[in-house]
Amino acid sequence: MMPPEEPGHDRWQDDADPVQDRWHDEHSGPMVRPYVMTSGRIEPTRGKFDLITLVVSVGAEPDGAVGLGPEHVAIARLCQSVMSVAELTGHLNLPIATVRVLLGDLLDQGFISMQEPEPEADMHDIRLYKAVIDGLRAL
Amino acid sequence: MVSGPSSLPTRARRLPTAVKIVIAGGFGVGKTTMVGTVSETKPLRTEEILTDESVGVDDISGVEKKKTTTVAMDFGRITMRDEYVLYLFGTPGQERFWFMWDEVALGALGAIVLADTRRLSDCFPSVDYFERRGTPFIVAVNCFQGARQYDLAEIQLALNLGPAVPVMLCDARSLDSCKQVLIDLVLHAMKTRGLAPNQEEPQNA
Ligand SMILES: Nc1nc2c(ncn2[C@@H]2O[C@H](COP(=O)(O)OP(=O)(O)OP(=O)(O)O)[C@@H](O)[C@H]2O)c(=O)[nH]1
Ligand SMILES: [Mg+2]
């Protein structure tokens, strides 16, 4: 049904990442900016933020909120639809560690809500497997 | 578990739960291709900047002294009914980034190890890794052009896999083939974790 080459790339809308290019101006490399936007912090103040922890914005946009910058706002905007930590790092083109710190700030001030994935020890819910198999069959 | 909302009174809606499957294997074996074939969104790439410290001194002793390294993973997404979202992660090519593997393997439903018969030994580190970690995995043999056709039992033997580890052929460029590999992995993961595929859902769910 589908040609073997170039499998369905037309399916993906061209969601050019609007925020992405901002981190790559000529004055500073992508290494310096993340450090600055987290004020040098490497651990989030709250939350573990697994790669597949799902995040969604709640309440108002954090525009102008104390201590939050444009990167925080960019994350809050992306999280208008539910998004994983991994997807955020992909869209923002920022290192995972940086995104985690920024998310911790947003969580701290109540701008986002999140859903942690199932711990590995808890992977015994048959509904999960059935839903995944059904979802795959429907592809 | 998809536990109810906990301490967040402002929670606007119930969030789905995410699950992940890891796609591993040697260099150029088709990991990125497989992620792209099944993903509903344009595959994304996540990058981690490593310092010597996070790589571990022993691991880089053979490599040029370097302050930082970037390690990237491709991933895609498939939205499921019942409020689940499946993410597929292609592991970083170099096995020396074990800490990244640990991060992506933690909590994974299972893993697919892609193998190329022309370079079968390239997948040994992945097989070893998931065996040691106890992550349910299957081996999918990519049929590259010009590759000698192997018998699956032969490959099973060559990889020194236990009889419980499924080995199958696949074409990472074909949606039907990738679907089958993923479904087989999920069934294998259920079995490994002691769940019968046709078991009824618990009544008191
Ligand atoms: N014949 C054949 N070619 C394939 C298959 N899967 C991938 N290829 C081709 O193999 C090449 C490498 O595929 P990639 O998906 O980039 O491999 P990879 O594992 O992501 O590579 P690295 O990330 O560099 O380790 C591409 O040119 C693909 O088109 C397959 O199943 N059959
Ligand atoms: Mg790749």
Side-chain angles (χ1 to χ4, degrees):
Chain A
M1 266 151 274
M2 237 194 242
E5 61 280 341
E6 286 293 311
H9 283 258
D10 295 333
R11 292 177 290 143
W12 307 318
Q13 315 111 300
D14 193 29
D15 54 339
D17 301 324
V19 267
Q20 181 168 312
D21 293 336
R22 304 216 325 258
W23 320 132
H24 289 267
D25 56 17
E26 289 134 58
H27 308 293
S28 56
M31 303 284 292
V32 181
R33 297 287 292 274
Y35 188 79
V36 171
M37 64 184 79
T38 61
S39 316
R41 292 165 300 156
I42 54 168
E43 297 276 351
T45 49
R46 274 190 63 190
K48 287 194 313 258
F49 298 113
D50 186 279
L51 282 172
I52 59 164
T53 290
L54 295 175
V55 186
V56 73
S57 293
V58 289
E61 238 185 50
D63 225 344
V66 184
L68 301 185
E71 302 80 20
H72 292 98
V73 177
I75 291 180
R77 288 209 178 122
L78 283 167
C79 291
Q80 291 299 322
S81 40
V82 180
M83 205 162 275
S84 63
V85 173
E87 282 168 290
L88 286 170
T89 74
H91 284 301
L92 295 165
N93 206 14
L94 286 175
I96 302 158
T98 307
V99 171
R100 286 195 168 119
V101 171
L102 300 173
L103 283 168
D105 297 340
L106 288 166
L107 186 66
D108 220 18
Q109 300 197 30
F111 289 110
I112 56 167
S113 158
M114 63 169 180
Q115 173 72 53
E116 305 268 14
E118 312 236 354
E120 199 162 0
D122 269 12
M123 299 274 284
H124 288 90
D125 184 353
I126 196 147
R127 286 170 305 171
L128 182 154
Y129 295 88
K130 287 190 162 174
V132 171
I133 289 172
D134 287 351
L136 289 169
R137 288 211 171 109
L139 275 180
Chain B
M1 301 278 101
V2 227
S3 52
S6 46
S7 54
L8 293 157
T10 45
R11 171 186 289 265
R13 58 187 135 145
R14 193 190 180 91
L15 283 169
T17 299
V19 286
K20 65 184 160 190
I21 287 176
V22 184
I23 300 173
F27 178 75
V29 79
K31 303 178 292 286
T32 303
T33 305
M34 182 173 266
V35 169
T37 300
V38 290
S39 182
E40 75 190 13
T41 53
K42 193 167 101 189
L44 288 169
R45 176 162 271 235
T46 163
E47 294 199 341
E48 188 70 290
I49 295 168
L50 305 185
T51 57
D52 284 1
E53 211 182 322
S54 50
V55 179
V57 180
D58 285 342
D59 290 339
I60 57 156
S61 51
V63 182
E64 269 317 297
K65 277 233 158 62
K66 211 176 161 193
K67 279 283 167 287
T68 58
T69 315
T70 304
V71 48
M73 279 187 303
D74 300 304
F75 64 96
R77 160 181 176 150
I78 305 168
T79 306
M80 310 269 150
R81 72 164 172 92
D82 283 356
E83 301 293 279
Y84 290 106
V85 187
L86 173 65
Y87 288 96
L88 300 161
F89 284 89
T91 54
Q94 301 101 315
E95 279 92 14
R96 62 195 178 91
F97 299 128
W98 288 122
F99 98 98
M100 202 67 181
W101 283 61
D102 289 344
E103 162 126 39
V104 79
L106 180 73
L109 189 154
I112 293 164
V113 174
L114 285 172
D116 174 352
T117 50
R118 297 167 302 178
R119 298 169 291 145
L120 255 194
S121 60
D122 283 11
C123 75
F124 287 173
S126 307
V127 167
D128 282 346
Y129 179 82
F130 295 118
E131 262 176 1
R132 252 184 295 123
R133 231 194 144 277
T135 304
F137 72 97
I138 67 174
V139 175
V141 182
N142 239 353
C143 315
F144 283 97
Q145 245 149 37
R148 170 160 105 71
Q149 293 302 303
Y150 280 82
D151 186 34
L152 285 179
E154 242 180 306
I155 293 168
Q156 187 129 24
L157 212 63
L159 292 178
N160 197 18
L161 296 169
V165 178
V167 179
M168 61 193 297
L169 295 174
C170 89
D171 185 330
R173 301 160 303 174
S174 147
L175 179 61
D176 282 340
S177 176
C178 291
K179 265 166 73 169
Q180 200 50 57
V181 171
L182 285 162
I183 290 169
D184 281 18
L185 168 67
V186 178
L187 291 170
H188 175 63
M190 289 174 82
K191 210 164 135 193
T192 309
R193 296 196 173 100
L195 299 164
N198 38 18
Q199 190 177 314
E200 281 315 305
E201 295 189 18
Q203 292 307 303
N204 56 349

